[in-house]
Amino acid sequence: MSKLFIEGCHRLNGAVAVHGAKNSALPILAAALMADGVSELQNCPGLSDVDASVAILRHLGCRVEREGHRILVDNTGLSGSDIPDDLMREMRSSIVFLGAIAAKTGAAVLSFPGGCELGPRPIDLHLAALRQLGMAIEEERGQLRCRVRGRLKGCKIPLSFPSVGATENILLAAATAEGTTTILNAAREPEIEDLAAFLNSSGARIRGAGEGTVVIEGVDRLSACCHRVIPDRIETATYMAAAAVTGGSLVIKDVEPAHVATVFPAFEEMGCQIDVWKNELLVSAPARLRRVRSVRTMPYPGFPTDCQALLMAMACVADGTSVFIENIFESRYKHAGELMRLGAK
Ligand code: UD1
């Protein structure tokens, strides 16, 4: 879709259901190539990044079937270990395939992911961790050439920053490594727990996912399982913000309230009321939002960087001055200029 037309001044009321989390589905699709047999993924969102992951799996020789939000991945025909440049470019997060491909096939060749609209996105933490596990990685002319002799070897990996992608790559590579791997200062995002849940259902032995220290006891092999992807917390917060900016009232269904609880205080400070039932939220917004004193993005369970732009849009129509501090990505204020073109101060 190249254009969206939005007619303003309509209160949003009603009910809407949330899809499965993209940021869970992508690493789990990568994990599926390691699990022997036919893995079944339920609640997989229909997004272009998922299409790109499916294209990578098919390129590698996996058979992939899609039926609505259900994806079946059969790794029986897995024969490749490279991701062509055009597929790498389609999705920056395809770097998460690195740990899975190299652990499963003993080699991986892919191009270096470039920067993106959020600024430079280095992968130094991914590469340092994979090297610690014993992967030989050569970087030449924008290409990564990785080789594993025998099996990777478990070790202690302290991360200088709790990178989500690096934590995922380590989980994937260490799941079938020899011995025990301990990640210190691991990312604690719910999507990490979801990836570990998929891997554990496939036979991996991972403890502590969702906490700062994760222990992975390597197993010989993984076998396919059936897994339901967790609800998308960013999509949930997006609908919450849509209710908030329009002074509306929305019931948001199929959510995991615990995963979005980190954004509740900011919404409440701005005057929204949030009622929580089991897997549903009712967000009721006032006619005029109040300012939020400050939004500081932090790794989970801090305020998510992916929700910073949403709160900024809300702050534009709120009474008073709100302050934003982005701590995760260097250039994540591009929306500010666009909001100013719409008349925001
Ligand atoms: C994931 C999410 C993204 C979210 C982000 C932070 C996916 C597909 N994407 O991205 O939506 O905004 O977490 O919650 O799950 N960094 C390094 N070196 C590295 C890796 C990261 O310096 O090797 C830096 C990054 O430049 C960035 C910060 O660490 O400044 C956070 O990155 P990371 O947690 O890795 O985010 P992603 O996994 O890329």
Side-chain angles (χ1 to χ4, degrees), residues 25 31 61 94 97 102 106 109 125-126 143 152 162 170 173 240 276 302 319 332 342:
S94 43
F97 274 88
V109 179
L125 300 174
H126 300 238
Q143 265 215 336
L152 293 167
I170 301 169
M240 290 173 67
V276 181
D319 270 336
R332 207 166 198 180
L342 291 167

Side-chain angles (χ1 to χ4, degrees), residues 22-23 26 92-93 120-126 161-166 168 189 305-306 328-329 332:
K22 181 202 76 164
N23 288 351
L26 303 182
R92 193 226 170 248
S93 34
R121 295 188 72 168
I123 52 164
D124 53 318
L125 300 174
H126 300 238
F161 181 89
S163 155
V164 174
E168 290 167 349
E189 270 70 2
T305 174
D306 292 345
I328 308 294
F329 289 108
R332 207 166 198 180

Side-chain angles (χ1 to χ4, degrees), residues 26-303:
L26 303 182
I28 293 174
L29 283 167
L33 75 83
M34 296 176 66
D36 294 340
V38 183
S39 300
E40 177 176 342
L41 217 57
Q42 297 174 352
N43 204 28
C44 215
L47 301 167
S48 56
D49 279 3
V50 171
D51 299 342
S53 298
V54 168
I56 291 172
L57 287 169
R58 287 187 174 140
H59 171 83
L60 295 170
C62 295
R63 200 167 54 82
V64 184
E65 278 176 38
R66 276 173 95 166
E67 248 174 51
H69 293 152
R70 186 166 158 261
I71 298 189
L72 302 176
V73 181
D74 180 356
N75 79 340
T76 313
L78 181 72
S79 52
S81 52
D82 71 301
I83 305 182
D85 194 43
D86 53 328
L87 289 179
M88 270 314 275
R89 277 175 201 278
E90 260 178 54
M91 178 179 67
R92 193 226 170 248
S93 34
S94 43
I95 191 65
V96 81
F97 274 88
L98 173 57
I101 296 175
K104 182 67 181 167
T105 69
V109 179
L110 37 94
S111 54
F112 227 92
C116 71
E117 68 282 2
L118 306 181
R121 295 188 72 168
I123 52 164
D124 53 318
L125 300 174
H126 300 238
L127 300 186
L130 295 172
R131 283 185 171 121
Q132 275 176 271
L133 287 166
M135 200 179 290
I137 305 176
E138 285 170 29
E139 302 168 49
E140 57 173 81
R141 278 184 272 139
Q143 265 215 336
L144 292 168
R145 297 184 160 273
C146 312
R147 233 171 337 99
V148 179
R149 286 201 192 286
R151 272 170 79 180
L152 293 167
K153 301 222 168 16
C155 63
K156 196 176 264 190
I157 304 177
L159 288 175
S160 56
F161 181 89
S163 155
V164 174
T167 303
E168 290 167 349
N169 249 327
I170 301 169
L171 284 182
L172 292 164
T176 54
E178 211 178 294
T180 302
T181 301
T182 305
I183 315 175
L184 304 171
N185 196 27
R188 292 184 280 165
E189 270 70 2
E191 294 76 22
I192 301 285
E193 256 186 278
D194 205 26
L195 171 62
F198 173 86
L199 288 168
N200 282 343
S201 299
S202 303
R205 289 205 202 125
I206 302 171
R207 294 194 307 275
E211 294 164 28
T213 302
V214 183
V215 180
I216 306 133
E217 280 174 58
V219 296
D220 290 342
R221 61 188 287 271
L222 300 176
S223 316
C225 71
C226 175
H227 180 83
R228 189 173 174 80
V229 174
I230 57 170
D232 196 309
R233 63 197 167 99
I234 310 305
E235 187 183 344
T236 307
T238 307
Y239 289 132
M240 290 173 67
V245 284
T246 61
S249 173
L250 275 188
V251 173
I252 310 172
K253 298 181 177 184
D254 301 341
V255 305
E256 179 46 71
H259 295 168
V260 266
T262 58
V263 304
F264 288 175
F267 278 82
E268 284 164 349
E269 192 183 332
M270 295 180 89
C272 297
Q273 188 183 322
I274 302 167
D275 296 300
V276 181
W277 298 286
K278 278 184 192 158
N279 292 105
E280 286 187 17
L281 300 178
L282 168 61
V283 183
S284 315
R288 178 96 174 143
L289 293 168
R290 294 192 297 267
R291 64 136 190 201
V292 54
R293 212 170 305 259
S294 72
V295 169
R296 289 164 196 272
T297 66
M298 300 288 272
Y300 193 85
F303 190 92

